[in-house]
Amino acid sequence: MVTLIDNRMIRDILITLAVMAVLFFIRFLIKLWLKRRDREDQYPNGIRPAVLSFINWTTVYAILLFVLFYFSDTRWMFSKLFAIGSVEISLFLILIALFIITLANRLSKIITSFLMPPLYDRYSLDTGLQFTFNRVFHYTLMVVAVVISLTTVGLDLSALTVFAGVLGVGIGFGMQNIANNFISGLIILFERPIKVGDRVIINDVIGDVEKINMRATIIRTLDNERIIMPNSYFIEEQVVNHSYGDSRLRLVVPIGVAYGSDVELVRTLLLQVAEDEKEQSMYVLNTPKPIVNFLGFGDSSLDFQLFIWISTPKAAVETKSNLNFRLNRILEDNGVEIPFPQRDLHVRSLDDRIIQKLKDK
């Protein structure tokens, strides 16, 4: 009897290994065929990676399905692990539920990463709207997958009302912060006060919105660092969004010149700098036109401001640096002095003993 069981076990293992080898060999042949077709440029952009990803995961799921159905007549596969109400949960039911959920997650990633971007490009949707559609599609598909998996296992969803009530109380007391950030994330996705790709200022730090998750939003700074901000921050606090509505941004470049300088010449030179930068940069706009503002009379300089408009806030640092280089060069070439702060010290009187000590030294 023991020998018979051992022989059956060896046979099952060999059959399983043989099926796995066949599936991997078929996967290899398909990938080789796709590579040959790719050399002939017969696939549009984005299709081949989606097909390869689908083949890889199809192979894994095919092996899992074979194991489930091949060992469906074994006792250990259907043994009771625990019970929820009148439903006995076995390893087979757990694997089926995990199979449905993981398959839905994989399909969501394939569709949002490879199949939907060509549609977005066709209808010229911005990055933030694309991200919103991807999140809504993913959440919807996962909810459907969870409901299907629970139904497949045999759980009556109406029996979960008590559990849902307990969960609601738990969210109200112990998870209100998480629930607040989750709801805030949904508000951000639909109301879109910020969206992926926006240039924002968080606590005097400039960064770009990189990702909006269920609980937090990821901000990538200009130094390529990541700031993880709770979603509720963008609903409750004041946030500067340079990209909201209109992506145009006015740059203010301050400059001070020495007293006695020709202010009309300074204005002409500043406008010339703006014109030169506009010819060299694709970000400087023709309208509104650059303006020179005579700010006032400072302690040691005549203070001016050059107002110039750019098409995107992401070019602010580069454009402002270029303007400063040009300002320094053109003012120096035209003999306009850029002063530095000076303080004159006037000594009205000193004690005679102190004067004598200074003379002795």
Side-chain angles (χ1 to χ4, degrees), residues 172-211:
F173 288 98
M175 302 178 62
Q176 52 183 323
N177 188 28
I178 297 177
N180 182 25
N181 288 315
F182 175 74
I183 295 174
S184 299
L186 295 179
I187 294 175
I188 290 174
L189 289 176
F190 287 99
E191 186 179 331
R192 305 177 72 203
I194 62 169
K195 58 183 182 297
V196 174
D198 281 359
R199 173 64 58 88
V200 297
I201 299 180
I202 304 295
N203 297 330
D204 297 328
V205 178
I206 302 175
D208 298 324
V209 179
E210 187 175 66
K211 193 174 183 181

Side-chain angles (χ1 to χ4, degrees), residues 40-57:
E40 299 173 1
D41 295 329
Q42 296 187 14
Y43 281 100
N45 294 331
I47 298 299
R48 183 175 181 272
V51 173
L52 290 177
S53 179
F54 179 77
I55 291 173
N56 292 334
W57 282 94

Side-chain angles (χ1 to χ4, degrees), residues 131 135 139 175-186 188-189 211-218 227-235:
F131 185 85
R135 289 290 90 186
Y139 293 154
M175 302 178 62
Q176 52 183 323
N177 188 28
I178 297 177
N180 182 25
N181 288 315
F182 175 74
I183 295 174
S184 299
L186 295 179
I188 290 174
L189 289 176
K211 193 174 183 181
I212 303 175
N213 294 322
M214 295 178 61
R215 191 194 65 84
T217 297
I218 311 299
I227 301 177
I228 302 175
M229 298 296 299
N231 291 329
S232 58
Y233 178 88
F234 299 97
I235 304 299

